Amino acid sequence: MNTQTNRQKQALATKQKIFSCAISLFARQSYENVTVQDICAEADVSVGAFYHHFKSKENILDEGYRLFDHESEDVWNNGHPDSPREAVRFLIAEQAHSMENMGVMAALQYFKNQLSSSEKYILNPDRFFYRTLYRIIDEAVASGILAGDAAVITEDILGTTRGLIYDWCLHEGSYVLSEKSLRILDILLDHYQKK
């Protein structure tokens, strides 16, 4: 078992504090208007400490995707539904709740980052969220619950949910994203349900 030293724990706590403070600032202001110095002041750390943990302000957003996948994996490992349909709903609800908890302004910054980034982490099929969703869909197709190509169904679900998050941002969070995401997901799953 790997145990962290006090120094490693402190470094991780500092990194998490910088990340949380940055996301909090991004949720209240436009990403473009937040400086590294603003983040450091909010987190009560030096600029040197910031650059020890993050290469740039943009790197914070990249870290957010990895953190989302890590948190999703933890939630998944702590218990999830056995039914393929409910397991898919569970994952998509986790995605929507994560965006709701982050807030519209911060969610918008993530999308803007991915549109201009050369590394489209959100599209990476090796990330936990994608792999797990694909595995569930693949098993549902193999067992005859769903009809179609698992990769196509997975991409349809992810494309639809990304579109809903974008729409939610356009509407400035005026509706409950998780409720609408699950309602639209059910329509999509009904479409692919084996007749």
Side-chain angles (χ1 to χ4, degrees):
M1 179 175 162
N2 283 341
T3 56
Q4 292 181 326
T5 65
N6 285 340
R7 188 178 188 122
Q8 289 170 322
K9 288 178 185 175
Q10 185 179 15
L12 182 59
T14 300
K15 183 176 184 176
Q16 290 174 332
K17 183 177 182 183
I18 293 168
F19 175 81
S20 297
C21 290
I23 296 303
S24 176
L25 284 169
F26 299 158
R28 296 191 313 261
Q29 305 176 41
S30 169
Y31 170 82
E32 293 79 12
N33 292 334
V34 174
T35 66
V36 168
Q37 288 78 10
D38 295 333
I39 295 167
C40 292
E42 184 87 3
D44 195 27
V45 299
S46 69
V47 172
F50 176 91
Y51 284 110
H52 175 75
H53 295 287
F54 298 98
K55 289 186 250 178
S56 65
K57 183 172 74 166
E58 293 78 17
N59 188 238
I60 289 176
L61 295 176
D62 296 337
E63 181 70 17
Y65 289 111
R66 288 170 184 79
L67 182 63
F68 166 74
D69 274 344
H70 179 70
E71 289 173 354
S72 296
E73 187 170 7
D74 285 348
V75 169
W76 180 262
N77 289 336
N78 284 330
H80 58 274
D82 292 328
S83 148
R85 184 181 192 108
E86 291 308 310
V88 170
R89 293 179 98 252
F90 180 87
L91 278 174
I92 298 307
E94 177 64 21
Q95 178 189 45
H97 289 308
S98 175
M99 293 293 115
E100 290 169 337
N101 291 337
M102 184 184 314
V104 171
M105 284 291 286
L108 180 61
Q109 304 317 317
Y110 278 101
F111 271 77
K112 285 167 60 176
N113 169 267
Q114 284 296 280
L115 288 170
S116 61
S117 175
S118 60
E119 180 195 348
K120 306 281 190 229
Y121 183 81
I122 200 169
L123 300 177
N124 185 343
D126 294 326
R127 45 187 298 234
F128 168 81
F129 191 77
Y130 183 98
R131 280 190 341 261
T132 305
L133 182 61
Y134 175 80
R135 184 180 48 76
I136 297 165
I137 298 298
D138 193 45
E139 290 171 4
V141 169
S143 65
I145 296 169
L146 297 176
D149 180 275
V152 171
I153 297 170
T154 301
E155 285 297 327
D156 283 354
I157 291 170
L158 291 172
T160 300
T161 57
R162 284 191 300 264
L164 285 169
I165 295 167
Y166 174 74
D167 182 71
W168 178 71
C169 289
L170 283 174
H171 285 91
E172 299 176 351
S174 65
Y175 58 82
V176 180
L177 176 62
S178 52
E179 289 175 7
K180 188 168 186 175
S181 294
L182 292 177
R183 186 167 31 97
I184 301 301
L185 174 65
D186 284 338
I187 293 168
L188 190 57
L189 290 174
D190 287 347
H191 171 76
Y192 283 110
Q193 189 170 336
K194 191 145 188 179
K195 309 292 188 249

